[in-house]
Amino acid sequence: MTSTHRTGAAPRRPIPADIDFPDALLEGLATEPKRVACKYFYDAVGANLFQQICELPEYYLTRTELSLLRRHASDFARLIGPHAEIVEFGAGSAETIGILLAALDRPRAYVPVEISNGSLLDLVGRIRADHPAVDVRPLLADFTAPLPQTLFSPGARRIGFFPGSTIGNFTRSEARDFLAGAARLLKGGGLLIGVDLVKDPAVLHAAYNDSAGVTAAFNRNLLVRANREAAANFDLARFAHYAPYNVEKRRIEMYLVSTAAQLVRVAGRQIAFAEGEAIHTESSHKYTIEDFRSLAVQAGFSPRAVWTDPDRLFSIHWLEA
Ligand code: AVI
C-alpha cells in the first residue's frame, strides 16, 4: 500500500502519475506491442491540454456530465443525506465538486485523494473559499491503492465521488478491482460515479479525433515529455495520432504510430520502430448502463439510481456500499 500524507497541495490529474516515468517508458517500449500507461499524459502541459479537450465541441463528456450534475443535484443531496464526508478519487475540477458541495445538506468534509503535490493548491483554495464550513483535507496518495479507513471521521456518512468517466481508462478487471476497494472503503455510504456510455461510433470517434487537433497534441505530448524527462529523441513529425473505436471491446484505443522505420534513443538505449508500428497510449472504455451496474454488483455495490441525458451520451450512477 502507498504511504499517505496529509498535504496542502496536489495536482489536477484524472489518474495518478508516478515519478518513475523513464523506467516505465523503457519497460513499455520493450514489450510487444509497445505501450505507455495513460497516467503519464498528465505532466503540466498534458494537464493543460486535457483541460482544453474538456472544452472541445466534439468532447461531449465533460459538459454532459456537468449538466447532469446541475440538473440532478437535489436528488444527490436527498440520497447522500446531511453531514456527509466526501472523498474524491483524483483531484477534480472545482466546478464539478462545487456543484455537489453546494447542493448537499451541511457536508462535513471534502477529501481529494491525489498522488502528487502541485496544482491542487488552487482547487483546495477555491473550495475552502466557497465552502468555508467544509473541512477540506487533501490526501497525498494513489487512489487506485487501498485507502485507509481513517480517511473518514469515526461514524461519518462515507461518500465517494468519481466523475469524468476516469473509470473508463481502467481495463474492465481493473475497474472491478477499483470498485471493490471503493465498496470496502465506503461501507454504509455510497459512490456517485460518472460513466461514459456506448453510442454511435462516429460520435465517439469525433470526440477523440477533434478537428482542432488538441487530442493529437495531448497524445504526442507523451513524446515531448519523453524527450525532456527520459533523454529521448523522438521526432514528433514521425509519429501519428491514431484513435479508432474498437466496437468489439467497446473502447476508444489511442496509439502513436511510427510513420517510418526508425531508431529512437530513450534513456541511453536505442529503440527500433518498424514502419506502421504503434505505441498503445490509452484505452477509454464505454459501458451500457446494464453492463456497468452488473460490474458494480460484482464489486460488492448495490446499484440504485442512475441518471442520463436525453441523448443517452453519459450516465451518473449512485451505488450503495
Ligand atoms: C480522463 N479520461 C476520462 C479521458 C477519456 O476520455 O478517456 C482522457 C482523454 N483521452 C483523450 N481525450 C480525453
Side-chain angles (χ1 to χ4, degrees):
M1 180 178 145
T2 313
S3 68
T4 55
H5 323 269
R6 295 235 174 263
T7 174
R12 185 185 187 297
R13 277 177 224 276
I15 288 209
D18 292 330
I19 47 167
D20 59 351
F21 177 55
D23 288 345
L25 180 65
L26 271 180
E27 199 184 313
L29 294 178
T31 64
E32 188 58 52
K34 293 179 169 62
R35 60 165 181 256
V36 182
C38 65
K39 64 185 176 182
Y40 296 110
F41 279 137
Y42 302 96
D43 64 353
V45 176
N48 186 275
L49 286 165
F50 178 65
Q51 192 60 47
Q52 291 178 43
I53 288 174
C54 292
E55 288 158 25
L56 290 169
E58 296 97 330
Y59 196 76
Y60 59 85
L61 287 81
T62 312
R63 66 171 174 279
T64 310
E65 183 178 55
L66 281 172
S67 90
L68 283 172
L69 285 168
R70 285 194 194 97
R71 187 168 323 140
H72 301 291
S74 57
D75 295 347
F76 309 146
R78 204 172 41 251
L79 291 163
I80 289 172
H83 309 301
E85 297 200 356
I86 318 292
V87 57
E88 181 168 4
F89 298 102
S93 83
E95 188 179 6
T96 311
I97 183 64
I99 296 170
L100 187 63
L101 291 175
L104 294 182
D105 181 4
R106 291 159 291 161
R108 202 170 271 160
Y110 168 55
V111 184
V113 181
E114 174 57 66
I115 199 160
S116 325
N117 268 323
S119 58
L120 186 67
L121 253 191
D122 190 38
L123 167 71
V124 167
R126 273 186 66 185
I127 299 303
R128 284 191 174 136
D130 295 350
H131 305 273
V134 177
D135 181 15
V136 182
R137 310 195 294 247
L139 180 66
L140 189 67
D142 176 353
F143 71 75
T144 61
L147 293 172
Q149 297 281 337
T150 50
L151 200 81
F152 295 103
S153 314
R157 171 89 170 135
R158 300 167 167 221
I159 303 300
F161 187 47
F162 197 28
S165 200
T166 300
I167 189 118
N169 296 132
F170 299 159
T171 64
R172 282 171 212 272
S173 77
E174 287 167 350
R176 192 181 309 111
D177 291 349
F178 169 78
L179 289 172
R184 282 191 294 272
L185 179 72
L186 302 170
K187 206 159 182 53
L191 175 67
L192 197 62
I193 180 168
V195 181
D196 196 18
L197 296 175
V198 165
K199 59 183 62 65
D200 179 350
V203 174
L204 286 166
H205 187 269
Y208 294 82
N209 294 274
D210 63 279
S211 56
V214 183
T215 311
F218 174 72
N219 199 8
R220 280 205 191 88
N221 180 57
L222 259 183
L223 305 182
V224 178
R225 183 176 182 183
N227 288 351
R228 190 182 57 242
E229 293 181 26
N233 67 347
F234 284 101
D235 176 355
L236 270 65
R238 302 218 284 177
F239 284 87
H241 165 73
Y242 181 56
Y245 180 59
N246 183 328
V247 183
E248 212 171 286
K249 296 189 170 155
R250 294 180 179 173
R251 66 186 193 196
I252 288 282
E253 294 171 357
M254 279 207 333
Y255 299 95
L256 288 161
V257 182
S258 175
T259 57
Q262 54 183 318
L263 277 177
V264 178
R265 193 190 69 237
V266 180
R269 310 259 179 88
Q270 293 289 335
I271 310 289
F273 286 86
E275 185 178 3
E277 189 177 358
I279 311 171
H280 176 252
T281 54
E282 187 183 61
S283 291
S284 192
H285 295 79
K286 310 302 169 187
Y287 289 87
T288 63
I289 286 173
E290 300 66 35
D291 202 11
F292 186 74
R293 283 166 71 93
S294 99
L295 191 73
V297 169
Q298 289 168 37
F301 277 107
S302 300
R304 301 289 186 220
V306 56
W307 301 266
T308 185
D309 52 292
D311 298 324
R312 289 177 80 85
L313 294 174
F314 199 88
S315 60
I316 295 179
H317 298 248
W318 170 244
L319 310 175
E320 271 179 14

